Amino acid sequence: MVKDILVVKDLQVWFPVRQGFIESLVSKEQRYVKAVDGVSFNIKEKEIFCLVGESGCGKTTTGKGILRLVEPTGGSVKYYGKGKEILLKDMISDALAKGKITKAQAEKMTAEGGIDVRALHKSKMKKLRQKMQIIFQDPYESLNPKQSVYDIVAEPLVVNGIGATEAEREKRVVKALEDAGLRPPKDFMWRYPHEVSGGQRQRVGIAGSLVLEPEFLVADEPVSMLDVSIRSEILKLMLDLRDNKGLAFLFITHDLGVAYVFSDRIGIMYLGKIVELGPTEEVVKHPAHPYTKALISVVPTPDPEMRRNQIILKGERPDPSNMPPGCRFHPRCPFVMDICRKEAPATVFVSEGHWVSCHLEKGQAK
Amino acid sequence: MALLEIQGLRTYFKTQEGTLQAVDGIDFNLDKGQALGLAGESGCGKTTAALSIMKLLPANGYIAGGKINFMGQDMARVTGDKLRAIRWRDISIIFQGAMNALNPVKRVGEQIIEPIILHEKVDEEVALKRVKELFEMVGINPSRIREYPHEFSGGMRQRVMIAMALACKPRLVIADEPTTALDVMIQAQIIALLKSLQKDLDLAMIVISHDLSVLAETCDVLAIMYAGKIVERAPAGEVFYDPHHPYTRGLIAAFPNIHGEKKMPASIAGNPPNLINPTKGCRFYDRCFMKQDICKTKEPPLVEIKPGHWAACNFVPPMKG
Ligand SMILES: Nc1ncnc2c1ncn2[C@@H]1O[C@H](COP(=O)(O)OP(=O)(O)O)[C@@H](O)[C@H]1O
Ligand SMILES: Nc1ncnc2c1ncn2[C@@H]1O[C@H](COP(=O)(O)OP(=O)(O)O)[C@@H](O)[C@H]1O
Ligand SMILES: [Mg+2]
Ligand SMILES: [Mg+2]
């Protein structure tokens, strides 16, 4: 059986809304931006899992919450990658020595194996983050224009104190550039970000993550800013990394078309929740949620015929600090019923590994 | 007579490394009420072509040849006040990146009222009424005119930009990457809006995008640019159903097809050529899957291959007769 590398359960990231003075007199209740509001999914080893949804639905915050680049306010994140082992041994012997846990507890922790990411001390988290990396959307903004490609890619090594000598570091940088498809590396190493093309810049960003030899990557819209004509080059690179290095991905995109061609499983996200989840082909060919259907219909295509059948939802970016009652999607749903305005839908099975949260679907509850 | 006629337009930039031939001999006409799409990868010269028409080139850019005729006037001769009047009243542009184009410390309403008062010589009350109409037209609640740009989402800001471009009832609107950086749902909304405005107001429009999907629906005619040249020009449907240039075919094949089988779309490997001293032959040579030796030396001219459908490839035969 394929093992999980990551299990996210009821993840919650709420940001407190800063209230004005008057407002704070009127209402004592602290309000929150519920960016991520109970998200659960797992990612298997060597799997590409896609989170898809409109901007503002909480995709980036989910990715950052997992890596604790923002602190989750609830739920759990467990990591089972190989990189955890050293960390786990460390921590257990540490805790044992300090008498914080009993021997029995230590044994149980080792047996269960997963690292509770949210419980990690900051210093340990830094260590774990070498194995869990993030690639950002914008290759133009995320690279320092004053640093050479070499310095950009070597920086994570320096920051983490990896590589005893410059020669050792250089070897790893060369390897990372090669793995990111910047070949031969010596042609790129001494250039600056503005001296390479957009696609190459994204590869530099990827090389910067690969240099620490991660096991799990969060790729946050890595192709959204690139020309359509070069996107699949970058997607293929990520497939390669999965096939040849065994990396697992949480891939974030607003474009279901990209998710379709590239991922193993998809989670459709709306206003802080996953509303449909399942194997990619299953979700795309047999979508159960009206939101998923709308997202399928607006996938960009140059085919004028296809464009006529679009379901264009009105409005945008519903406000996560002011959730609608009942089903969160009901104000924009073309099939809204009375019950949708009052009750949140249960999560029901559609088929093997495929589930949905919608009142229209009458399957067995999860 | 066409509203806009562009003949052999060449726009170059002076750079430290030499002269960069950003736009190198492009032709097209645009009639009243017609929409033309300019497509092609980043750096192929789309924005430069638009800025040439508007006479808004940066200091190191200049028009090295060709003609731009707008409503019967040779744009090369239009200067000063007359040019300023044309820029708002007759031609307006929606720039790439709506955030940078709006003044962040000014209410959006004011930013539209000012040019209306200036160009239409009307009083504030009339201008305000006009702004409210414009907001309705582009789908923003008119009560929002007193808000600041940061209070708008990306899609709403783009609607503000569209309202602004329409403020003085121009004949020609140029939209440069109007949906880039917006998510697909908002993109679909903005495209639908542009299309309905174009129809309702009988606007002439040039829509610029690296993304053919943005143009497929809004435009009557598409011009595909590569490295400063137009390599194919045809009615929008033709471009999709009967593309001739290998580059156009590559652009279409690059789209994931969600209705087809699950497979990775093709990509166009390699990079566009350097536009400083570009090679003599076909500029697409390096990346072309059909290339032959002749393409290294012979630059293919843009020829009509069937009525209204033009392509520039050594292996696409011209129409007979
Ligand atoms: N640091 C923050 N403080 C307050 N609100 C935030 C913060 N980060 C994100 N948000 C809000 O959380 C919601 C989800 O944002 P995000 O995760 O970036 O969405 P996505 O990546 O899907 O576009 C948005 O409404 C956003 O404005
Ligand atoms: N001010 C400038 N100075 C020098 N080169 C420029 C300048 N502006 C644009 N270019 C170059 O001209 C070419 C065309 O650019 P542009 O018109 O912006 O392309 P597009 O809009 O199709 O992405 C590119 O090679 C670009 O680097
Ligand atoms: Mg995001
Ligand atoms: Mg441009």
Side-chain angles (χ1 to χ4, degrees):
Chain A
M1 210 184 80
V2 190
K3 282 195 294 191
D4 288 325
I5 188 162
L6 185 80
V7 177
V8 177
K9 217 164 161 208
D10 298 324
L11 186 70
Q12 187 194 67
V13 186
W14 290 6
F15 299 106
V17 178
R18 249 185 277 144
Q19 282 168 310
F21 176 66
I22 303 287
E23 200 184 347
S24 68
L25 293 180
V26 180
S27 114
K28 283 190 207 77
E29 207 180 323
Q30 172 65 52
R31 291 200 306 133
Y32 293 93
V33 176
K34 299 177 179 175
V36 179
D37 195 25
V39 160
S40 304
F41 60 89
N42 62 321
I43 299 180
K44 294 174 207 140
E45 282 177 353
K46 291 183 113 183
E47 187 176 43
I48 298 176
F49 181 81
C50 261
L51 266 185
V52 187
E54 284 165 289
S55 70
C57 71
K59 305 181 296 295
T60 297
T61 308
T62 302
K64 286 185 173 171
I66 289 168
L67 299 187
R68 283 180 58 200
L69 296 171
V70 295
E71 284 300 337
T73 48
S76 77
V77 177
K78 284 216 162 182
Y79 186 69
Y80 297 87
K82 284 205 197 72
K84 67 161 204 264
E85 276 161 25
I86 313 159
L87 208 57
L88 198 62
K89 259 192 222 140
D90 250 39
M91 284 163 49
I92 293 172
S93 55
D94 231 40
L96 256 178
K98 287 192 188 131
K100 282 192 186 160
I101 51 171
T102 63
K103 191 131 198 252
Q105 279 171 318
E107 268 157 19
K108 184 161 175 274
M109 282 168 80
T110 321
E112 280 185 356
I115 278 207
D116 181 353
V117 174
R118 282 194 65 206
L120 281 185
H121 185 267
K122 276 215 163 81
S123 61
K124 304 277 188 217
M125 193 58 222
K126 194 173 149 195
K127 226 169 168 182
L128 185 61
R129 252 189 236 124
Q130 297 176 15
K131 297 294 155 197
M132 305 168 83
Q133 289 269 313
I134 187 162
I135 305 167
F136 289 105
Q137 166 171 18
D138 193 339
Y140 302 87
E141 275 176 10
S142 56
L143 302 181
N144 181 347
K146 295 201 178 103
Q147 277 188 322
S148 68
V149 166
Y150 180 89
D151 287 334
I152 290 169
V153 178
E155 185 161 290
L157 296 175
V158 178
V159 170
N160 287 290
I162 294 171
T165 62
E166 192 61 40
E168 211 172 295
R169 281 198 288 270
E170 182 170 332
K171 220 167 114 190
R172 288 186 69 156
V173 170
V174 166
K175 177 100 194 338
L177 288 171
E178 245 168 16
D179 289 343
L182 293 165
R183 297 185 202 118
K186 64 174 175 6
D187 281 5
F188 292 93
M189 248 158 38
W190 306 114
R191 293 206 221 165
Y192 287 84
H194 67 272
E195 294 172 319
V196 301
S197 71
Q200 287 164 350
R201 232 172 315 207
Q202 193 53 281
R203 289 175 193 268
V204 173
I206 294 172
S209 320
L210 293 181
V211 76
L212 292 173
E213 298 178 349
E215 302 162 338
F216 169 69
L217 279 179
V218 176
D220 190 0
E221 311 245 17
V223 299
S224 300
M225 300 293 281
L226 299 177
D227 276 11
V228 178
S229 53
I230 56 173
R231 282 182 193 167
S232 51
E233 297 264 289
I234 299 293
L235 297 181
K236 274 183 207 144
L237 166 64
M238 289 192 258
L239 278 183
D240 265 9
L241 292 172
R242 184 269 290 277
D243 293 343
N244 301 327
K245 293 191 168 295
L247 261 67
F249 283 88
L250 170 61
F251 187 94
I252 292 171
T253 176
H254 62 86
D255 184 348
L256 191 48
V258 170
Y260 174 54
V261 297
F262 170 70
S263 66
D264 301 310
R265 282 186 310 136
I266 288 181
I268 306 284
M269 205 165 166
Y270 190 83
L271 254 188
K273 271 203 180 329
I274 291 181
V275 296
E276 181 161 8
L277 184 148
T280 298
E281 283 197 270
E282 178 63 25
V283 169
V284 168
K285 296 300 173 192
H286 308 285
H289 202 286
Y291 183 58
T292 311
K293 290 177 189 165
L295 285 180
I296 290 171
S297 81
V298 295
V299 165
T301 164
D303 182 346
E305 208 59 54
M306 224 52 113
R307 298 193 63 93
R308 283 191 201 115
N309 307 321
Q310 288 184 334
I311 307 163
I312 302 179
L313 298 174
K314 294 219 175 61
E316 59 179 272
R317 233 192 157 140
D319 179 3
S321 67
N322 192 8
M323 295 288 182
C327 170
R328 290 168 189 211
F329 183 58
H330 89 254
R332 295 168 86 197
C333 184
F335 307 104
V336 61
M337 304 174 290
D338 257 354
I339 186 171
C340 310
R341 298 190 182 91
K342 295 174 206 136
E343 270 176 51
T347 297
V348 298
F349 281 107
V350 183
S351 59
E352 176 71 34
H354 180 187
W355 54 262
V356 69
S357 305
C358 173
H359 287 299
L360 287 169
E361 207 61 40
K362 300 277 175 253
Q364 195 199 343
K366 194 181 171 198
Chain B
M1 192 186 56
L3 180 75
L4 176 72
E5 289 174 354
I6 295 190
Q7 273 170 25
L9 176 67
R10 287 185 285 136
T11 308
Y12 293 176
F13 290 106
K14 288 205 182 82
T15 74
Q16 282 180 348
E17 291 82 36
T19 304
L20 188 145
Q21 307 178 0
V23 172
D24 203 24
I26 64 169
D27 312 271
F28 61 82
N29 284 359
L30 190 66
D31 291 328
K32 186 169 168 287
Q34 198 184 29
L36 174 123
L38 263 189
E41 284 163 292
S42 297
C44 72
K46 305 179 298 294
T47 297
T48 304
L51 296 179
S52 306
I53 297 168
M54 297 287 280
K55 294 189 85 168
L56 281 173
L57 288 170
N60 64 330
Y62 62 98
I63 294 187
K67 261 213 159 74
I68 300 171
N69 232 300
F70 179 68
M71 288 168 59
Q73 315 164 79
D74 179 0
M75 288 297 282
R77 286 164 204 271
V78 183
T79 53
D81 285 347
K82 211 166 159 207
L83 177 63
R84 272 189 288 278
I86 286 186
R87 267 189 212 146
W88 267 99
R89 292 228 314 266
D90 295 323
I91 312 179
S92 64
I93 185 161
I94 302 165
F95 284 108
Q96 196 167 349
M99 197 50 191
N100 307 330
L102 290 168
N103 183 340
V105 297
K106 241 184 186 175
R107 300 176 200 277
V108 292
E110 283 172 56
Q111 301 193 43
I112 310 181
I113 287 175
E114 278 167 17
I116 295 177
I117 294 176
L118 192 72
H119 290 280
E120 310 254 299
K121 315 248 178 323
V122 295
D123 62 31
E124 197 168 327
E125 203 178 323
V126 176
L128 184 67
K129 194 165 156 262
R130 173 94 186 119
V131 174
K132 287 189 173 160
E133 284 165 18
L134 285 164
F135 268 37
E136 294 269 6
M137 203 153 81
V138 300
I140 309 174
N141 189 331
S143 68
R144 300 191 67 181
I145 56 175
R146 292 182 58 77
E147 292 181 19
Y148 290 93
H150 74 263
E151 294 174 85
F152 289 78
S153 65
M156 280 296 159
R157 244 180 264 138
Q158 198 56 296
R159 287 172 194 264
V160 172
M161 291 300 296
I162 294 170
M164 203 182 234
L166 297 175
C168 298
K169 303 187 176 138
R171 287 153 212 267
L172 169 62
V173 172
I174 301 175
D176 191 357
E177 307 275 5
T179 64
T180 303
L182 299 178
D183 71 47
V184 288
M185 186 62 73
I186 309 303
Q187 194 167 310
Q189 291 176 354
I190 297 289
I191 291 170
L193 172 66
L194 282 176
K195 187 181 170 176
S196 75
L197 288 172
Q198 196 245 337
K199 246 167 105 192
D200 296 349
L201 305 174
D202 199 27
L203 276 178
M205 227 162 51
I206 297 176
V207 188
I208 293 175
S209 181
H210 73 271
D211 180 342
L212 269 180
S213 74
V214 172
L215 311 175
E217 198 176 323
T218 30
C219 298
D220 306 302
V221 176
L222 298 189
I224 314 293
M225 280 185 79
Y226 187 77
K229 298 190 180 280
I230 290 177
V231 296
E232 185 154 9
R233 195 182 65 220
E238 280 264 313
V239 169
F240 181 76
Y241 294 111
D242 191 21
H244 277 68
H245 198 284
Y247 180 60
T248 313
R249 293 206 224 157
L251 285 182
I252 292 167
F255 281 89
N257 178 5
I258 201 162
H259 304 286
E261 75 180 282
K262 182 174 178 332
K263 65 161 197 261
M264 195 65 93
S267 56
I268 309 177
N271 291 299
N274 190 342
L275 296 175
I276 299 170
N277 300 319
T279 47
K280 285 265 165 348
C282 176
R283 290 189 180 178
F284 190 54
Y285 179 82
D286 280 342
R287 302 167 79 185
C288 185
F289 64 88
M290 286 177 19
K291 68 184 162 206
Q292 301 284 333
D293 276 349
I294 181 175
C295 308
K296 248 190 274 188
T297 49
K298 183 174 175 239
E299 192 189 323
L302 188 67
V303 294
E304 194 162 22
I305 53 175
K306 53 185 178 171
H309 191 154
W310 299 65
C313 170
N314 286 323
F315 296 97
V316 174
M319 191 166 63
K320 293 208 176 67

